[in-house]
Amino acid sequence: MRPRSALALFLLLPALAFAAPRLKVQPPEGFAEAEPGKDAAYRALSPEGMLYRVRLFRNEPEKPLGFWGEALKNHLVKEGYRLNGEGRAFQAGETAGTAFEWVVPFGTESYLYLTAVLVTSKRIIVAEAAGPYALFTRYRQGLDQSLQSIRLH
Amino acid sequence: MRTAPVLLALALLLTAGLGAQENTLRQGVQVSMLVADPDLAGDRIEQWAEAQGGYLLEKSSERVVMRLPQAHLPQLRGFLEGVSEDILDFSPKTEDLREELWATRSGLRSRQEILHRNLALLDQADAEGTLAIEQELLSLIQEVEGLKARLQALSLDQLYARVEIALSFQESPLPKDIPSSFGWINQVSFYNFVEEGF
C-alpha cells in the first residue's frame, strides 16, 4: 500500500466509524419508494397519494422505547389528537417498536395518522403514515409489515 | 287469613297500574363512529332500524338520522359496534316530558272548551258579533291544531328514540403547535406531514 493511500484510509476510518446510520425499509405493499430528500428520510407513496415516511432522530437524552413512546403519545393527546383503539407493540428485527393510530379531521374527511416509534441506544426511528380512513384501512396490513422490516445499518 | 286474597288482589291491581303507566321519557342518542364504507354502513343501519320497527329520517354519506322504538335502544350500541371499526362517541340523552305533556294537554283542553262555548254563542250573536266570534274561532282552531300537532310529536317521542349517527369524525381542526420539551416530538405533526408531502 502506498503511503498516501494508507494516510487517506487512516483519515477516513474515524469518519466511517461515526457515519450516520442508514435506514433500510421495505415499502408497504403497493407503495412506490421515493428518492431520499435532503433530510435522508425514507419515503414511499401509494398510487392514491397516501404518504409513508420514516425518519431518524438522535436518542438524546438516551431513553428507552417505553419513555419515548409515552412522551409522543402524551404530546399528541395534549394537542387534541384522538387515539383510534389501543396502541400496538411490534418487533423490527431486534428492535422493539410501538405504534399508535390517531383519528384526525382533515377537510371534510376523517383521516388516520399512524405514528410508530422504534428506539435503539443511539437513535429514535419515527415512522408516519396518513390517509383518509377507508384508504388507510386498505393499506394497514402492508404498513405493519413495512414497520417490521425497518433496519438500521 | 281472609285478608290474604284481598291483599293479593290489591297487589295485583297496583302492579297492573304501574305496568300501564305512561312512558314520559324522551330518549335520544348521538353517535360518532368510524366506518370504512359510509354508504354500506348507512344501508346496514337502515335495514337494522326497519327490522326493529324504526324508520329513517335522513341518510347520507356523512350521517344517518333515524327513529328507533325505545324498547330497542339497549341493542343499538352492540349493533353499531359490529358495523363500525371504532365508536368515537356514544352519548345517550334522556329528558322528562311530564311537564311538557301536562302543559300541552291542559292547554288543548282549555282551548277546546272555549271553542265549544264560542260555538254555542254563535247562534245568539248578531251580524257584528258573529264576525267577531268567527275571528276568535279561527284563532282558537289554529291554536288547537297547533297543540294537537305538538301532542302528536310528543307521543312520537314517547315511543321512538331519536338516533343521530355521524359516520365520520367531524370536529374542529386540532391546535397545531403545542411545544414539547423534546425537539424531535415537535417535528411529529399530522398537518405538517400531510401538507409538506414530499
Side-chain angles (χ1 to χ4, degrees), chain A residues 41-92:
Chain A
Y42 173 88
R43 289 177 168 84
L45 190 66
S46 81
E48 299 85 358
M50 185 174 152
L51 310 173
Y52 176 58
R53 179 173 70 183
V54 186
R55 291 183 290 170
L56 277 179
F57 297 97
R58 286 183 188 280
N59 187 357
E60 284 175 359
E62 191 179 325
K63 290 286 173 193
L65 174 67
F67 179 88
W68 289 124
E70 276 301 299
L72 179 62
K73 181 183 167 190
N74 290 339
H75 179 71
L76 294 179
V77 167
K78 198 164 72 180
E79 284 199 318
Y81 289 76
R82 194 196 182 285
L83 259 178
N84 182 39
E86 299 294 315
R88 53 188 185 271
F90 64 94
Q91 198 68 31

Side-chain angles (χ1 to χ4, degrees), chain B residues 180-198:
Chain B
S180 164
S181 312
F182 305 114
W184 71 268
I185 287 183
N186 287 320
Q187 295 181 51
V188 181
S189 153
F190 167 80
Y191 292 105
N192 290 345
F193 178 55
V194 170
E195 283 162 12
E196 279 174 15
F198 282 78

Side-chain angles (χ1 to χ4, degrees), chain B residues 9-21:
Chain B
L10 197 62
L12 281 172
L13 269 175
L14 282 171
T15 316
L18 283 173
Q21 214 171 32

